[in-house]
Amino acid sequence: MQPTLLILAAGMASRYGSLKQIQQFGPSGETIIDYSIYDAIRAGFGKIVFIIRESFEKEFKEIFEPKLKGRVATDYVFQDMDSYIGKYEVPADRTKPWGTAHAILCAKEAINEPFAVINADDFYGADAFVKMADFLKGEAKADIYSVVGYELGKTISEHGSVSRGVCAVDGAGFLSAINERTKIYSDNGVIVYEEADGSKHPLSAETPVSMNFWGFDPSVFDLSQDLFYEFLENSRSNPKAEFFIPIVADEFIKRGKGKVKVLPTSAQWFGVTYKEDAPGVQASLNELVAKGAYPNNLWK
């Protein structure tokens, strides 16, 4: 069975204002999503499921369906605040969905096979998709999930601090802990993370970090539902609280449900954390095209 790729795109409208203004980086107007889907198809993924908001369904399909029709199966799932909340109610002051792990839960009825999850606006590189596809086809099961581990030094922005899930990996290559560091940057040539009290701590450029590229067995849906109810019980009164994928992965390990294999990649990640990053993203893609890694027009 071919694995599925789940793309988290429900937040795109708030980032871009209008979906027709999704930033084009490739030489023929390709978005970052286009490159991810192209790499996924080449790696052997058989279906693409988009997590979106119902409010921009028509616009979104107009952008992507003409490119993908006949190339790969597609499906669309809505992330709404009242999805999968059970007996709980959405607080009146809540203004956005519940986070990335809630987004996965919203795809429960659309996915029955091993699947990967990525962000819509991150470039992950072909190597990561090949390694993830191989894992999903041969190793994924109810007690083994995965995450792609990027080298921290290849995920830093020159224009400000970034937030990264710093991975601790055991001797067998499995995740032992993941800590979200919300302020990582280069300080006079040394990569550091800064705590709330202003203290700085150095990190090696080779430190493995998560860029939200996860591999799951469908069993993750039941676990996510249980953990989401616990989250709502404890955090629903906080209008900004979010239910993130690392919460599910961490509890999966802590509760003895299984292990998370770290799939190392030396690929260069890039994305637009700051508007100043955009020219660098465009230059990096043009360089990859010039080297022959991608055609000048992905969908011609």
Side-chain angles (χ1 to χ4, degrees):
M1 182 179 293
Q2 290 179 296
T4 286
L5 179 65
L6 179 63
I7 300 179
L8 306 182
M12 296 195 75
S14 59
R15 286 195 293 276
Y16 288 101
S18 168
L19 284 175
K20 292 191 182 302
Q21 297 170 356
I22 286 178
Q23 197 149 358
Q24 298 177 345
F25 294 102
S28 298
E30 293 88 353
T31 67
I32 290 178
I33 297 179
D34 287 316
Y35 285 94
S36 292
I37 295 173
Y38 184 84
D39 283 336
I41 293 172
R42 287 197 295 180
F45 285 80
K47 183 170 70 172
I48 309 296
V49 177
F50 296 97
I51 291 278
I52 60 175
R53 296 192 196 185
E54 190 171 4
S55 60
F56 60 72
E57 177 188 13
K58 182 175 181 292
E59 274 186 282
F60 197 92
K61 287 184 176 180
E62 286 175 351
I63 293 170
F64 289 102
E65 278 303 307
K67 302 173 183 177
L68 303 180
K69 188 175 182 180
R71 300 178 186 274
V72 67
T74 57
D75 200 355
Y76 298 83
V77 175
F78 305 135
Q79 184 182 11
D80 298 315
M81 281 190 284
D82 58 357
S83 298
Y84 293 91
I85 63 174
K87 67 179 182 180
Y88 300 96
E89 295 183 358
V90 178
D93 52 355
R94 182 87 194 181
T95 59
K96 64 178 183 176
W98 299 97
T100 53
H102 175 245
I104 289 179
L105 186 55
C106 291
K108 182 177 182 179
E109 304 304 321
I111 299 176
N112 300 299
E113 58 283 324
F115 68 100
V117 181
I118 63 168
N119 293 333
D121 47 9
D122 289 328
F123 179 90
Y124 291 99
D127 178 65
F129 283 94
V130 170
K131 289 179 176 175
M132 180 59 77
D134 288 346
F135 169 83
L136 294 172
K137 292 174 185 177
E139 297 181 69
K141 51 186 180 178
D143 60 352
I144 300 182
Y145 299 162
S146 69
V147 62
V148 177
Y150 285 79
E151 295 174 12
L152 174 60
K154 294 183 176 180
T155 74
I156 297 296
S157 171
E158 298 177 358
H159 304 289
S161 64
V162 296
S163 177
R164 298 288 180 258
V166 177
C167 301
V169 185
D170 67 20
F174 290 96
L175 189 69
S176 56
I178 182 167
N179 294 297
E180 190 72 17
R181 302 300 185 190
T182 58
K183 195 172 184 179
I184 299 177
Y185 55 93
S186 181
D187 184 25
N188 294 318
V190 178
I191 299 175
V192 299
Y193 72 87
E194 186 175 318
E195 299 275 24
D197 62 4
S199 61
K200 300 177 183 178
H201 308 271
L203 287 168
S204 165
E206 288 75 41
T207 301
V209 295
S210 163
M211 301 305 302
N212 232 23
F213 194 164
W214 298 85
F216 294 113
D217 175 86
S219 59
V220 74
F221 293 121
D222 289 339
L223 174 62
S224 297
Q225 181 70 85
D226 292 342
L227 293 174
F228 187 46
Y229 286 153
E230 292 180 21
F231 167 86
L232 291 172
E233 184 66 36
N234 298 321
S235 305
R236 66 185 186 280
S237 60
N238 179 354
K240 295 185 178 181
E242 293 192 63
F243 182 50
F244 292 122
I245 296 172
I247 294 173
V248 175
D250 202 39
E251 291 301 318
F252 177 70
I253 297 168
K254 286 180 179 177
R255 300 186 185 198
K257 300 282 187 181
K259 298 179 179 180
V260 177
K261 185 175 183 179
V262 179
L263 309 177
T265 182
S266 58
Q268 176 71 48
W269 168 93
F270 48 84
V272 186
T273 306
Y274 300 93
K275 64 180 181 180
E276 293 86 357
D277 292 326
V281 169
Q282 190 162 26
S284 295
L285 286 172
N286 286 334
E287 183 178 349
L288 288 169
V289 170
K291 289 179 178 178
Y294 298 97
N296 191 65
N297 187 326
L298 288 185
W299 308 118
K300 187 173 181 181

